[in-house]
Amino acid sequence: MKIGVDYYPEYWDKSIWEKDAALMAECGVKIVRISGVAWSKLEPQNGQFEFWWFDEIIEAFSQYGMEMIFCIPTDAAPYWLLEAYPYITRTNKDGVLLPNGAYDRCCVNADEYRSYAVRLTEQIVRRYKDNRNIIAWQLDNNIDAYKCCCGYCKEKFRKWLMTRHETLGNINKVFGGNGEYSDINQIQLPVFCRSDWKNPAHEMEYMRFVTESTANFIRELAMAVKREAPNAKMTTNTDLSGNIPNVYKLFEFMDFVSINNYPPTKIDSNGNVDGTNAFYLDLARGIMHKNFCVMEQRSGALPMEESVKQGMIRGYSLQALAHGADMVVHFRWRTPLSGAGSMKQGLIDAANCSTRRLEEFRELCKTASKLAVIDTTTTVSEIAILYSPESETALNIFPPSENFSYIDQLKKFHAAFSRYGANVDVISTRSDLSNYKVVVAPSLFLHDSKSSESIFRFVLNGGTLVLTNRSGVRDEYNNYTMSVLPNEYRELIGADVREVDALGNESNVITDFAGNSFRCSQWCDILKPTTAKSYAEYRGRYYASTPAVTLNRYCGGVVYYVGTVCESSFYENFVGNIMMQTGIPRLKGLPEGVEVSIRTNGIDDFIFFFNNSGRSVSIPLPKTMHSLVDSNLKEIIGLQPFEFDIVRK
């Protein structure tokens, strides 16, 4: 495991560089990410490239044997470029250009911007491609799928539609609705429509265009790198939230996945943390089905948020390792003295003094140095949760009910399995499912023939499948079909959705076959079984005594359908039964907040225990085990808040 830092030499006088490099080496830093926002320093005038100062900083790190990831800073366009081409700036839904001073301000569809971004990439890679200390190139930074409304996007969206659908008649057929287009130039960007007038198909196609534009921009930069350095390793980084593009498309041409990891820091009066990033770490690992990198790991306070507590810097870094991160780069080494970045705390404060966070970072580096045996390990799971960016997009366009959340359903299942210490893969709906015993596929809202084929094949081969409400609702273009829900999954679940109740924040109660009652809300499918049996029934409202959850045996497999959204205790009880039925081992009695993960090299298994809470906990082990963290033999794992231990099984 490599521990590193983000460093921005462009913020600091060169007299500090050597001192910082020496201090990093003393702490145990193995890797540094550089050049995040340095475009205007690297190219202060059009075509005038100045690399001498970067030569010096690269030499400063190289003399200590530190590796580097060079970030191509295309997200921070210089002002001379914006002055020459003002309309390359992103435009909001009101047609207003984003103001100067913001990062990520250029539209990826603007031809001039792409041309200059490619030129910058070529110049940087040409200069440094033979430097052995630069191990990878990061393309752009914090890439997202912004809904830009500039003229470039309008023109290219129309061309994209014609390429995809071939004729205007086909576009009219897909869009449906009121009226037809007689000319392609009549089609506008849907963001200009009133929210209650939006066309779901129009919105869906636009969001596909936005995410493909983002992915194509990264691909164009990747091609520029490959022209200069055919064997170069490349990545890009993204937050797995907000305006993220389809991550499977975004990383399609990358060598490894990189994410930003900013775990929550707020603790309530009972010592509970406001959530965990474990789900997103498993999602990152599942994008390319291999270990990943954290390119920005939280190291301090962010605007309007609490600072990191004692133990969080070390604990959350090792949490990322437990879920498949081989490299954790902390954001950032120093707190800037000025600019927007000055609101984001680094390991060293603006006062230039050592901090509690820096000392804890030192301890993290020491711990990481003991974990070489982990380097060749991976995470293996018998459980998969399917993530569909397209279904998430469609459900976000028009949420079915108040506070309905696609991603929260995935998180509920993930948290429930995690309570039993199970490894969970979060993967694409088009992934190979043959190595899993249990697959959970929440709210497969849009039809996707490849995903459906994979799911049917999994069940036919004896797998256990969980489907949920809002599955099979619309076709690939986000339009309804004249078919009883859940459409192509009707035979699989052995039931029909005869009616629905959009509860929103109202609630109902379900009771399972064992008499356990749970609160449900947001959405209720009212089911009529054909071959399925009732697993749980509603207790209230006009559909009381009708099935809420069903179980159907289909060929060699078993299919559950959860027609509603329940409180957390239901999912814990439900997946516990599924794990018992499928023979997947369960750890019972884990203290609240304790996360358990396993990495293996095929011979040895290493168990990670993380106390993600503000309370001290003790966990008895089934036998005496050796700790990699402190080299002691242990029968009981005792963990302080946010403390970690790793034992060889």
PDB file of all heavy atoms in Angstrom, residues 144-177:
ATOM      1  N   ASP A 144     -16.729  15.772 -14.247  1.00  0.00           N
ATOM      2  CA  ASP A 144     -18.146  15.544 -13.998  1.00  0.00           C
ATOM      3  C   ASP A 144     -18.926  15.708 -15.297  1.00  0.00           C
ATOM      4  O   ASP A 144     -18.369  16.044 -16.337  1.00  0.00           O
ATOM      5  CB  ASP A 144     -18.683  16.463 -12.905  1.00  0.00           C
ATOM      6  CG  ASP A 144     -18.733  17.937 -13.323  1.00  0.00           C
ATOM      7  OD1 ASP A 144     -18.282  18.255 -14.446  1.00  0.00           O
ATOM      8  OD2 ASP A 144     -19.220  18.756 -12.531  1.00  0.00           O
ATOM      9  N   ALA A 145     -20.220  15.430 -15.221  1.00  0.00           N
ATOM     10  CA  ALA A 145     -21.085  15.532 -16.396  1.00  0.00           C
ATOM     11  C   ALA A 145     -21.998  16.740 -16.222  1.00  0.00           C
ATOM     12  O   ALA A 145     -23.200  16.607 -15.973  1.00  0.00           O
ATOM     13  CB  ALA A 145     -21.895  14.248 -16.576  1.00  0.00           C
ATOM     14  N   TYR A 146     -21.427  17.907 -16.362  1.00  0.00           N
ATOM     15  CA  TYR A 146     -22.169  19.148 -16.173  1.00  0.00           C
ATOM     16  C   TYR A 146     -23.169  19.345 -17.316  1.00  0.00           C
ATOM     17  O   TYR A 146     -22.853  19.127 -18.481  1.00  0.00           O
ATOM     18  CB  TYR A 146     -21.193  20.323 -16.132  1.00  0.00           C
ATOM     19  CG  TYR A 146     -21.844  21.656 -15.855  1.00  0.00           C
ATOM     20  CD1 TYR A 146     -22.134  22.042 -14.551  1.00  0.00           C
ATOM     21  CD2 TYR A 146     -22.158  22.526 -16.884  1.00  0.00           C
ATOM     22  CE1 TYR A 146     -22.719  23.265 -14.287  1.00  0.00           C
ATOM     23  CE2 TYR A 146     -22.749  23.749 -16.636  1.00  0.00           C
ATOM     24  CZ  TYR A 146     -23.026  24.118 -15.336  1.00  0.00           C
ATOM     25  OH  TYR A 146     -23.621  25.335 -15.077  1.00  0.00           O
ATOM     26  N   LYS A 147     -24.377  19.780 -16.976  1.00  0.00           N
ATOM     27  CA  LYS A 147     -25.408  19.996 -17.987  1.00  0.00           C
ATOM     28  C   LYS A 147     -25.223  21.369 -18.633  1.00  0.00           C
ATOM     29  O   LYS A 147     -25.960  22.320 -18.358  1.00  0.00           O
ATOM     30  CB  LYS A 147     -26.795  19.898 -17.352  1.00  0.00           C
ATOM     31  CG  LYS A 147     -27.093  18.551 -16.720  1.00  0.00           C
ATOM     32  CD  LYS A 147     -28.457  18.566 -16.042  1.00  0.00           C
ATOM     33  CE  LYS A 147     -28.730  17.276 -15.315  1.00  0.00           C
ATOM     34  NZ  LYS A 147     -30.036  17.317 -14.593  1.00  0.00           N
ATOM     35  N   CYS A 148     -24.248  21.450 -19.497  1.00  0.00           N
ATOM     36  CA  CYS A 148     -23.933  22.722 -20.137  1.00  0.00           C
ATOM     37  C   CYS A 148     -24.975  23.062 -21.207  1.00  0.00           C
ATOM     38  O   CYS A 148     -25.496  22.178 -21.896  1.00  0.00           O
ATOM     39  CB  CYS A 148     -22.543  22.656 -20.760  1.00  0.00           C
ATOM     40  SG  CYS A 148     -22.030  24.184 -21.572  1.00  0.00           S
ATOM     41  N   CYS A 149     -25.263  24.343 -21.351  1.00  0.00           N
ATOM     42  CA  CYS A 149     -26.277  24.802 -22.302  1.00  0.00           C
ATOM     43  C   CYS A 149     -25.690  25.771 -23.339  1.00  0.00           C
ATOM     44  O   CYS A 149     -26.388  26.659 -23.836  1.00  0.00           O
ATOM     45  CB  CYS A 149     -27.422  25.491 -21.561  1.00  0.00           C
ATOM     46  SG  CYS A 149     -28.209  24.432 -20.346  1.00  0.00           S
ATOM     47  N   CYS A 150     -24.413  25.605 -23.653  1.00  0.00           N
ATOM     48  CA  CYS A 150     -23.778  26.508 -24.610  1.00  0.00           C
ATOM     49  C   CYS A 150     -24.150  26.136 -26.044  1.00  0.00           C
ATOM     50  O   CYS A 150     -24.758  25.089 -26.304  1.00  0.00           O
ATOM     51  CB  CYS A 150     -22.260  26.483 -24.433  1.00  0.00           C
ATOM     52  SG  CYS A 150     -21.467  24.962 -24.985  1.00  0.00           S
ATOM     53  N   GLY A 151     -23.754  26.977 -26.979  1.00  0.00           N
ATOM     54  CA  GLY A 151     -24.060  26.720 -28.387  1.00  0.00           C
ATOM     55  C   GLY A 151     -23.392  25.472 -28.916  1.00  0.00           C
ATOM     56  O   GLY A 151     -23.952  24.763 -29.759  1.00  0.00           O
ATOM     57  N   TYR A 152     -22.174  25.166 -28.432  1.00  0.00           N
ATOM     58  CA  TYR A 152     -21.486  23.944 -28.862  1.00  0.00           C
ATOM     59  C   TYR A 152     -22.310  22.711 -28.490  1.00  0.00           C
ATOM     60  O   TYR A 152     -22.474  21.786 -29.285  1.00  0.00           O
ATOM     61  CB  TYR A 152     -20.115  23.846 -28.198  1.00  0.00           C
ATOM     62  CG  TYR A 152     -19.157  24.949 -28.518  1.00  0.00           C
ATOM     63  CD1 TYR A 152     -19.018  26.041 -27.655  1.00  0.00           C
ATOM     64  CD2 TYR A 152     -18.363  24.913 -29.654  1.00  0.00           C
ATOM     65  CE1 TYR A 152     -18.128  27.066 -27.923  1.00  0.00           C
ATOM     66  CE2 TYR A 152     -17.457  25.933 -29.938  1.00  0.00           C
ATOM     67  CZ  TYR A 152     -17.348  27.007 -29.068  1.00  0.00           C
ATOM     68  OH  TYR A 152     -16.459  28.009 -29.334  1.00  0.00           O
ATOM     69  N   CYS A 153     -22.815  22.704 -27.261  1.00  0.00           N
ATOM     70  CA  CYS A 153     -23.581  21.546 -26.788  1.00  0.00           C
ATOM     71  C   CYS A 153     -24.882  21.386 -27.571  1.00  0.00           C
ATOM     72  O   CYS A 153     -25.287  20.274 -27.913  1.00  0.00           O
ATOM     73  CB  CYS A 153     -23.875  21.691 -25.286  1.00  0.00           C
ATOM     74  SG  CYS A 153     -22.439  21.406 -24.237  1.00  0.00           S
ATOM     75  N   LYS A 154     -25.535  22.514 -27.857  1.00  0.00           N
ATOM     76  CA  LYS A 154     -26.790  22.451 -28.609  1.00  0.00           C
ATOM     77  C   LYS A 154     -26.559  21.857 -29.999  1.00  0.00           C
ATOM     78  O   LYS A 154     -27.274  20.943 -30.435  1.00  0.00           O
ATOM     79  CB  LYS A 154     -27.400  23.851 -28.721  1.00  0.00           C
ATOM     80  CG  LYS A 154     -28.783  23.879 -29.359  1.00  0.00           C
ATOM     81  CD  LYS A 154     -29.280  25.310 -29.522  1.00  0.00           C
ATOM     82  CE  LYS A 154     -29.446  25.995 -28.197  1.00  0.00           C
ATOM     83  NZ  LYS A 154     -30.039  27.356 -28.350  1.00  0.00           N
ATOM     84  N   GLU A 155     -25.532  22.341 -30.676  1.00  0.00           N
ATOM     85  CA  GLU A 155     -25.246  21.858 -32.029  1.00  0.00           C
ATOM     86  C   GLU A 155     -24.826  20.388 -32.017  1.00  0.00           C
ATOM     87  O   GLU A 155     -25.292  19.594 -32.839  1.00  0.00           O
ATOM     88  CB  GLU A 155     -24.141  22.715 -32.651  1.00  0.00           C
ATOM     89  CG  GLU A 155     -23.735  22.271 -34.053  1.00  0.00           C
ATOM     90  CD  GLU A 155     -22.584  23.082 -34.610  1.00  0.00           C
ATOM     91  OE1 GLU A 155     -22.158  24.052 -33.954  1.00  0.00           O
ATOM     92  OE2 GLU A 155     -22.090  22.746 -35.701  1.00  0.00           O
ATOM     93  N   LYS A 156     -23.966  20.030 -31.070  1.00  0.00           N
ATOM     94  CA  LYS A 156     -23.450  18.660 -31.051  1.00  0.00           C
ATOM     95  C   LYS A 156     -24.488  17.669 -30.539  1.00  0.00           C
ATOM     96  O   LYS A 156     -24.470  16.498 -30.921  1.00  0.00           O
ATOM     97  CB  LYS A 156     -22.166  18.605 -30.219  1.00  0.00           C
ATOM     98  CG  LYS A 156     -21.013  19.326 -30.912  1.00  0.00           C
ATOM     99  CD  LYS A 156     -19.689  19.139 -30.205  1.00  0.00           C
ATOM    100  CE  LYS A 156     -18.576  19.819 -30.989  1.00  0.00           C
ATOM    101  NZ  LYS A 156     -17.237  19.624 -30.373  1.00  0.00           N
ATOM    102  N   PHE A 157     -25.402  18.132 -29.688  1.00  0.00           N
ATOM    103  CA  PHE A 157     -26.487  17.261 -29.252  1.00  0.00           C
ATOM    104  C   PHE A 157     -27.369  16.876 -30.435  1.00  0.00           C
ATOM    105  O   PHE A 157     -27.767  15.717 -30.593  1.00  0.00           O
ATOM    106  CB  PHE A 157     -27.311  17.958 -28.174  1.00  0.00           C
ATOM    107  CG  PHE A 157     -28.503  17.170 -27.689  1.00  0.00           C
ATOM    108  CD1 PHE A 157     -28.364  15.857 -27.255  1.00  0.00           C
ATOM    109  CD2 PHE A 157     -29.773  17.742 -27.680  1.00  0.00           C
ATOM    110  CE1 PHE A 157     -29.465  15.128 -26.802  1.00  0.00           C
ATOM    111  CE2 PHE A 157     -30.876  17.022 -27.229  1.00  0.00           C
ATOM    112  CZ  PHE A 157     -30.727  15.718 -26.790  1.00  0.00           C
ATOM    113  N   ARG A 158     -27.665  17.834 -31.302  1.00  0.00           N
ATOM    114  CA  ARG A 158     -28.478  17.546 -32.485  1.00  0.00           C
ATOM    115  C   ARG A 158     -27.766  16.561 -33.407  1.00  0.00           C
ATOM    116  O   ARG A 158     -28.377  15.605 -33.917  1.00  0.00           O
ATOM    117  CB  ARG A 158     -28.789  18.841 -33.231  1.00  0.00           C
ATOM    118  CG  ARG A 158     -29.712  19.783 -32.469  1.00  0.00           C
ATOM    119  CD  ARG A 158     -29.689  21.183 -33.057  1.00  0.00           C
ATOM    120  NE  ARG A 158     -30.612  22.078 -32.355  1.00  0.00           N
ATOM    121  CZ  ARG A 158     -30.586  23.402 -32.451  1.00  0.00           C
ATOM    122  NH1 ARG A 158     -29.668  23.985 -33.228  1.00  0.00           N
ATOM    123  NH2 ARG A 158     -31.453  24.148 -31.791  1.00  0.00           N
ATOM    124  N   LYS A 159     -26.466  16.759 -33.610  1.00  0.00           N
ATOM    125  CA  LYS A 159     -25.699  15.829 -34.449  1.00  0.00           C
ATOM    126  C   LYS A 159     -25.650  14.443 -33.820  1.00  0.00           C
ATOM    127  O   LYS A 159     -25.741  13.427 -34.513  1.00  0.00           O
ATOM    128  CB  LYS A 159     -24.286  16.367 -34.664  1.00  0.00           C
ATOM    129  CG  LYS A 159     -24.218  17.600 -35.545  1.00  0.00           C
ATOM    130  CD  LYS A 159     -22.776  18.064 -35.724  1.00  0.00           C
ATOM    131  CE  LYS A 159     -22.698  19.286 -36.636  1.00  0.00           C
ATOM    132  NZ  LYS A 159     -21.291  19.775 -36.786  1.00  0.00           N
ATOM    133  N   TRP A 160     -25.505  14.417 -32.499  1.00  0.00           N
ATOM    134  CA  TRP A 160     -25.469  13.145 -31.772  1.00  0.00           C
ATOM    135  C   TRP A 160     -26.785  12.387 -31.950  1.00  0.00           C
ATOM    136  O   TRP A 160     -26.789  11.167 -32.175  1.00  0.00           O
ATOM    137  CB  TRP A 160     -25.194  13.428 -30.299  1.00  0.00           C
ATOM    138  CG  TRP A 160     -25.082  12.217 -29.408  1.00  0.00           C
ATOM    139  CD1 TRP A 160     -23.966  11.479 -29.146  1.00  0.00           C
ATOM    140  CD2 TRP A 160     -26.139  11.626 -28.638  1.00  0.00           C
ATOM    141  NE1 TRP A 160     -24.256  10.464 -28.266  1.00  0.00           N
ATOM    142  CE2 TRP A 160     -25.591  10.535 -27.942  1.00  0.00           C
ATOM    143  CE3 TRP A 160     -27.490  11.914 -28.474  1.00  0.00           C
ATOM    144  CZ2 TRP A 160     -26.343   9.733 -27.086  1.00  0.00           C
ATOM    145  CZ3 TRP A 160     -28.247  11.114 -27.629  1.00  0.00           C
ATOM    146  CH2 TRP A 160     -27.675  10.038 -26.951  1.00  0.00           C
ATOM    147  N   LEU A 161     -27.889  13.114 -31.855  1.00  0.00           N
ATOM    148  CA  LEU A 161     -29.200  12.480 -32.042  1.00  0.00           C
ATOM    149  C   LEU A 161     -29.340  11.894 -33.449  1.00  0.00           C
ATOM    150  O   LEU A 161     -29.829  10.766 -33.617  1.00  0.00           O
ATOM    151  CB  LEU A 161     -30.314  13.494 -31.794  1.00  0.00           C
ATOM    152  CG  LEU A 161     -30.593  13.884 -30.339  1.00  0.00           C
ATOM    153  CD1 LEU A 161     -31.591  15.043 -30.293  1.00  0.00           C
ATOM    154  CD2 LEU A 161     -31.132  12.691 -29.546  1.00  0.00           C
ATOM    155  N   MET A 162     -28.917  12.636 -34.445  1.00  0.00           N
ATOM    156  CA  MET A 162     -29.035  12.153 -35.817  1.00  0.00           C
ATOM    157  C   MET A 162     -28.129  10.952 -36.063  1.00  0.00           C
ATOM    158  O   MET A 162     -28.518   9.998 -36.757  1.00  0.00           O
ATOM    159  CB  MET A 162     -28.701  13.274 -36.802  1.00  0.00           C
ATOM    160  CG  MET A 162     -29.764  14.358 -36.890  1.00  0.00           C
ATOM    161  SD  MET A 162     -31.377  13.744 -37.458  1.00  0.00           S
ATOM    162  CE  MET A 162     -31.000  13.329 -39.164  1.00  0.00           C
ATOM    163  N   THR A 163     -26.942  10.961 -35.487  1.00  0.00           N
ATOM    164  CA  THR A 163     -26.051   9.806 -35.627  1.00  0.00           C
ATOM    165  C   THR A 163     -26.643   8.585 -34.948  1.00  0.00           C
ATOM    166  O   THR A 163     -26.580   7.468 -35.478  1.00  0.00           O
ATOM    167  CB  THR A 163     -24.671  10.129 -35.015  1.00  0.00           C
ATOM    168  OG1 THR A 163     -24.101  11.248 -35.696  1.00  0.00           O
ATOM    169  CG2 THR A 163     -23.732   8.940 -35.120  1.00  0.00           C
ATOM    170  N   ARG A 164     -27.222   8.784 -33.804  1.00  0.00           N
ATOM    171  CA  ARG A 164     -27.766   7.676 -33.006  1.00  0.00           C
ATOM    172  C   ARG A 164     -29.057   7.128 -33.602  1.00  0.00           C
ATOM    173  O   ARG A 164     -29.268   5.912 -33.625  1.00  0.00           O
ATOM    174  CB  ARG A 164     -28.003   8.162 -31.575  1.00  0.00           C
ATOM    175  CG  ARG A 164     -28.626   7.159 -30.619  1.00  0.00           C
ATOM    176  CD  ARG A 164     -28.530   7.707 -29.204  1.00  0.00           C
ATOM    177  NE  ARG A 164     -29.407   7.048 -28.264  1.00  0.00           N
ATOM    178  CZ  ARG A 164     -29.158   5.896 -27.653  1.00  0.00           C
ATOM    179  NH1 ARG A 164     -28.034   5.243 -27.923  1.00  0.00           N
ATOM    180  NH2 ARG A 164     -30.014   5.378 -26.785  1.00  0.00           N
ATOM    181  N   HIS A 165     -29.931   8.016 -34.109  1.00  0.00           N
ATOM    182  CA  HIS A 165     -31.259   7.580 -34.547  1.00  0.00           C
ATOM    183  C   HIS A 165     -31.439   7.611 -36.067  1.00  0.00           C
ATOM    184  O   HIS A 165     -32.481   7.177 -36.570  1.00  0.00           O
ATOM    185  CB  HIS A 165     -32.328   8.453 -33.878  1.00  0.00           C
ATOM    186  CG  HIS A 165     -32.335   8.350 -32.385  1.00  0.00           C
ATOM    187  ND1 HIS A 165     -32.797   7.240 -31.721  1.00  0.00           N
ATOM    188  CD2 HIS A 165     -31.908   9.219 -31.422  1.00  0.00           C
ATOM    189  CE1 HIS A 165     -32.686   7.421 -30.413  1.00  0.00           C
ATOM    190  NE2 HIS A 165     -32.141   8.610 -30.211  1.00  0.00           N
ATOM    191  N   GLU A 166     -30.499   8.174 -36.791  1.00  0.00           N
ATOM    192  CA  GLU A 166     -30.425   8.156 -38.254  1.00  0.00           C
ATOM    193  C   GLU A 166     -31.387   9.110 -38.948  1.00  0.00           C
ATOM    194  O   GLU A 166     -31.010   9.748 -39.935  1.00  0.00           O
ATOM    195  CB  GLU A 166     -30.610   6.733 -38.791  1.00  0.00           C
ATOM    196  CG  GLU A 166     -29.513   5.782 -38.334  1.00  0.00           C
ATOM    197  CD  GLU A 166     -29.683   4.406 -38.925  1.00  0.00           C
ATOM    198  OE1 GLU A 166     -30.799   4.071 -39.384  1.00  0.00           O
ATOM    199  OE2 GLU A 166     -28.695   3.649 -38.923  1.00  0.00           O
ATOM    200  N   THR A 167     -32.624   9.190 -38.485  1.00  0.00           N
ATOM    201  CA  THR A 167     -33.588  10.073 -39.145  1.00  0.00           C
ATOM    202  C   THR A 167     -34.355  10.886 -38.116  1.00  0.00           C
ATOM    203  O   THR A 167     -34.480  10.495 -36.946  1.00  0.00           O
ATOM    204  CB  THR A 167     -34.608   9.286 -39.987  1.00  0.00           C
ATOM    205  OG1 THR A 167     -35.467   8.538 -39.111  1.00  0.00           O
ATOM    206  CG2 THR A 167     -33.904   8.353 -40.968  1.00  0.00           C
ATOM    207  N   LEU A 168     -34.888  12.024 -38.584  1.00  0.00           N
ATOM    208  CA  LEU A 168     -35.712  12.851 -37.712  1.00  0.00           C
ATOM    209  C   LEU A 168     -36.987  12.112 -37.315  1.00  0.00           C
ATOM    210  O   LEU A 168     -37.491  12.267 -36.198  1.00  0.00           O
ATOM    211  CB  LEU A 168     -36.045  14.173 -38.410  1.00  0.00           C
ATOM    212  CG  LEU A 168     -36.703  15.263 -37.562  1.00  0.00           C
ATOM    213  CD1 LEU A 168     -35.804  15.645 -36.386  1.00  0.00           C
ATOM    214  CD2 LEU A 168     -37.011  16.490 -38.411  1.00  0.00           C
ATOM    215  N   GLY A 169     -37.489  11.277 -38.223  1.00  0.00           N
ATOM    216  CA  GLY A 169     -38.683  10.488 -37.912  1.00  0.00           C
ATOM    217  C   GLY A 169     -38.449   9.554 -36.741  1.00  0.00           C
ATOM    218  O   GLY A 169     -39.325   9.373 -35.886  1.00  0.00           O
ATOM    219  N   ASN A 170     -37.255   8.949 -36.707  1.00  0.00           N
ATOM    220  CA  ASN A 170     -36.941   8.059 -35.586  1.00  0.00           C
ATOM    221  C   ASN A 170     -36.824   8.834 -34.278  1.00  0.00           C
ATOM    222  O   ASN A 170     -37.224   8.342 -33.211  1.00  0.00           O
ATOM    223  CB  ASN A 170     -35.639   7.309 -35.860  1.00  0.00           C
ATOM    224  CG  ASN A 170     -35.787   6.262 -36.946  1.00  0.00           C
ATOM    225  OD1 ASN A 170     -36.887   5.795 -37.235  1.00  0.00           O
ATOM    226  ND2 ASN A 170     -34.678   5.898 -37.566  1.00  0.00           N
ATOM    227  N   ILE A 171     -36.281  10.051 -34.354  1.00  0.00           N
ATOM    228  CA  ILE A 171     -36.186  10.886 -33.154  1.00  0.00           C
ATOM    229  C   ILE A 171     -37.583  11.230 -32.649  1.00  0.00           C
ATOM    230  O   ILE A 171     -37.874  11.150 -31.449  1.00  0.00           O
ATOM    231  CB  ILE A 171     -35.384  12.172 -33.443  1.00  0.00           C
ATOM    232  CG1 ILE A 171     -33.936  11.826 -33.793  1.00  0.00           C
ATOM    233  CG2 ILE A 171     -35.429  13.112 -32.241  1.00  0.00           C
ATOM    234  CD1 ILE A 171     -33.108  13.024 -34.239  1.00  0.00           C
ATOM    235  N   ASN A 172     -38.486  11.593 -33.563  1.00  0.00           N
ATOM    236  CA  ASN A 172     -39.866  11.895 -33.176  1.00  0.00           C
ATOM    237  C   ASN A 172     -40.537  10.687 -32.538  1.00  0.00           C
ATOM    238  O   ASN A 172     -41.300  10.817 -31.574  1.00  0.00           O
ATOM    239  CB  ASN A 172     -40.673  12.346 -34.390  1.00  0.00           C
ATOM    240  CG  ASN A 172     -40.398  13.794 -34.770  1.00  0.00           C
ATOM    241  OD1 ASN A 172     -40.222  14.642 -33.905  1.00  0.00           O
ATOM    242  ND2 ASN A 172     -40.346  14.075 -36.070  1.00  0.00           N
ATOM    243  N   LYS A 173     -40.239   9.510 -33.066  1.00  0.00           N
ATOM    244  CA  LYS A 173     -40.833   8.288 -32.525  1.00  0.00           C
ATOM    245  C   LYS A 173     -40.359   8.044 -31.095  1.00  0.00           C
ATOM    246  O   LYS A 173     -41.138   7.638 -30.228  1.00  0.00           O
ATOM    247  CB  LYS A 173     -40.473   7.104 -33.416  1.00  0.00           C
ATOM    248  CG  LYS A 173     -41.131   5.796 -33.003  1.00  0.00           C
ATOM    249  CD  LYS A 173     -40.780   4.685 -33.979  1.00  0.00           C
ATOM    250  CE  LYS A 173     -41.443   3.373 -33.563  1.00  0.00           C
ATOM    251  NZ  LYS A 173     -41.105   2.272 -34.503  1.00  0.00           N
ATOM    252  N   VAL A 174     -39.073   8.282 -30.847  1.00  0.00           N
ATOM    253  CA  VAL A 174     -38.518   8.090 -29.507  1.00  0.00           C
ATOM    254  C   VAL A 174     -39.045   9.138 -28.541  1.00  0.00           C
ATOM    255  O   VAL A 174     -39.460   8.825 -27.424  1.00  0.00           O
ATOM    256  CB  VAL A 174     -36.968   8.141 -29.548  1.00  0.00           C
ATOM    257  CG1 VAL A 174     -36.380   8.262 -28.146  1.00  0.00           C
ATOM    258  CG2 VAL A 174     -36.431   6.897 -30.237  1.00  0.00           C
ATOM    259  N   PHE A 175     -39.067  10.410 -28.973  1.00  0.00           N
ATOM    260  CA  PHE A 175     -39.473  11.481 -28.081  1.00  0.00           C
ATOM    261  C   PHE A 175     -40.975  11.493 -27.831  1.00  0.00           C
ATOM    262  O   PHE A 175     -41.414  11.844 -26.735  1.00  0.00           O
ATOM    263  CB  PHE A 175     -39.042  12.840 -28.649  1.00  0.00           C
ATOM    264  CG  PHE A 175     -37.579  13.145 -28.458  1.00  0.00           C
ATOM    265  CD1 PHE A 175     -36.711  12.225 -27.889  1.00  0.00           C
ATOM    266  CD2 PHE A 175     -37.067  14.367 -28.846  1.00  0.00           C
ATOM    267  CE1 PHE A 175     -35.369  12.508 -27.718  1.00  0.00           C
ATOM    268  CE2 PHE A 175     -35.722  14.671 -28.674  1.00  0.00           C
ATOM    269  CZ  PHE A 175     -34.872  13.734 -28.113  1.00  0.00           C
ATOM    270  N   GLY A 176     -41.768  11.113 -28.838  1.00  0.00           N
ATOM    271  CA  GLY A 176     -43.209  11.094 -28.661  1.00  0.00           C
ATOM    272  C   GLY A 176     -43.727  12.439 -28.175  1.00  0.00           C
ATOM    273  O   GLY A 176     -43.283  13.491 -28.618  1.00  0.00           O
ATOM    274  N   GLY A 177     -44.680  12.398 -27.266  1.00  0.00           N
ATOM    275  CA  GLY A 177     -45.173  13.631 -26.651  1.00  0.00           C
ATOM    276  C   GLY A 177     -46.029  14.452 -27.585  1.00  0.00           C
ATOM    277  O   GLY A 177     -46.595  13.958 -28.566  1.00  0.00           O
TER     278      GLY A 177
END
